[in-house]
Structure formats: C-alpha cells, structure tokens
Amino acid sequence: MADGQYHNILVPVDGSKVTAQVLEKGIAMAKTCDAHLDILNVVQVTQLSDGYAPASSLSPDQTYDLVKTTQERLEDLKQKAVDAGVTDVAIHVRFGNPKQVIGRDFPKDHNNDLIVIGSTGLSAFERIVLGSVTGYVIRVAKPDVMVARTQK
C-alpha cells in the first residue's frame, strides 16, 4: 500500500450469521479502492462452529463433498460482490488452522494489504475453547486489519 490505497483485500468468511455483514464491508472497501477481493473460507478439521460444512474424520468422498459445498457457498458470495460492482473477485478454500491461515499464510501468498474480518463468528463457548481468530489476526498479521463490527 505504498500509494495509500489498498490493492488486494482479504475477507475471510466462516458461514456464521455475520458473514453477510462482513462481506458487505469488504465489498465496500474493494469498490472504494478499485481493489482485488479475495473471499476465503478456512476449513478446520476439528471445527466446532456451525459454518458451511463442519469437518472431523472425513473420507475422501466426504472431503470432496465438503469442498464442493463450501465452494458453492463462496460462489454465491462472489456473485454478490460482482453484482455490487467489484470487478476482480476470487474465492478460496483452505484446510488448516484459521488463525495461521488468515493471519499469516494466505496474506503472504496472495499479497493482501488489507484484511476485513468480523469481530466474531463464534459462540461464547467456542471463543473460550478455540480462542478468537480475530484477536490473533490483529496481533500477528502484516497487512492492515479492519474489524467489521456487526449487528447480531
């Protein structure tokens, strides 16, 4: 962001109730900056949340179905961004620890200079057990982080 404008914006989504609101804020930033928009879902094998498709011990067929279902949901979100006027949008599904993938790995691999993330997508119990992804991302991410406050 040497010129004071964002060029590659990352919006991680988890399928929770706040996903639409976080995406709207990411779309608004992408339109304002005429930036590329990456929409990312990180599937955690031990995921507890009510996201797109929670995973545990999966067979190869179940893994394929999980990825396919998640990609279909992300395609819907991509279409919302395109319909809103964002001209450069990509969707991504990754397996791993959401904290590490969102906070370090993905932005490094995709040269993101802004992460737009929700304040929370987890229940209070899940935040206690798993910790806050947002809090971790704020602490370790190299790009700027915008926390999208949402109405529950």
Side-chain angles (χ1 to χ4, degrees):
M1 188 186 75
D3 60 1
Q5 184 164 323
Y6 298 108
H7 301 282
N8 294 300
I9 299 172
L10 169 60
V11 178
V13 296
D14 62 3
S16 67
K17 294 173 183 150
V18 301
T19 291
Q21 294 173 42
V22 173
L23 181 64
E24 284 177 22
K25 293 182 182 193
I27 288 170
M29 287 299 298
K31 286 173 53 179
T32 298
C33 299
D34 193 27
H36 170 79
L37 181 65
D38 286 310
I39 303 171
L40 168 69
N41 178 256
V42 181
V43 179
Q44 184 174 351
V45 176
T46 59
Q47 188 172 1
L48 297 175
S49 73
D50 60 349
Y52 292 130
S56 55
S57 298
L58 299 176
S59 71
D61 286 342
Q62 290 170 317
T63 301
Y64 173 81
D65 290 342
L66 170 74
V67 171
K68 183 180 177 199
T69 299
T70 302
Q71 285 179 320
E72 289 169 356
R73 300 302 186 277
L74 294 178
E75 283 292 343
D76 291 343
L77 298 179
K78 177 181 178 179
Q79 190 58 52
K80 286 182 183 181
V82 169
D83 291 348
V86 181
T87 58
D88 188 5
V89 185
I91 59 169
H92 309 271
V93 178
R94 296 287 184 269
F95 283 84
N97 180 322
K99 291 177 180 180
Q100 183 68 28
V101 173
I102 297 165
R104 295 183 189 268
D105 301 338
F106 191 91
K108 180 181 175 190
D109 293 344
H110 293 268
N111 298 313
N112 297 106
D113 46 14
L114 176 66
I115 301 171
V116 178
I117 191 167
S119 56
T120 183
L122 301 174
S123 69
F125 172 75
E126 289 167 329
R127 278 192 304 278
I128 292 168
V129 174
L130 298 175
S132 168
V133 172
T134 301
Y136 181 84
V137 170
I138 290 168
R139 286 189 306 277
V140 305
K142 299 272 190 236
D144 289 346
V145 178
M146 177 180 142
V147 178
R149 302 283 177 202
T150 56
Q151 306 286 327
K152 287 193 178 185

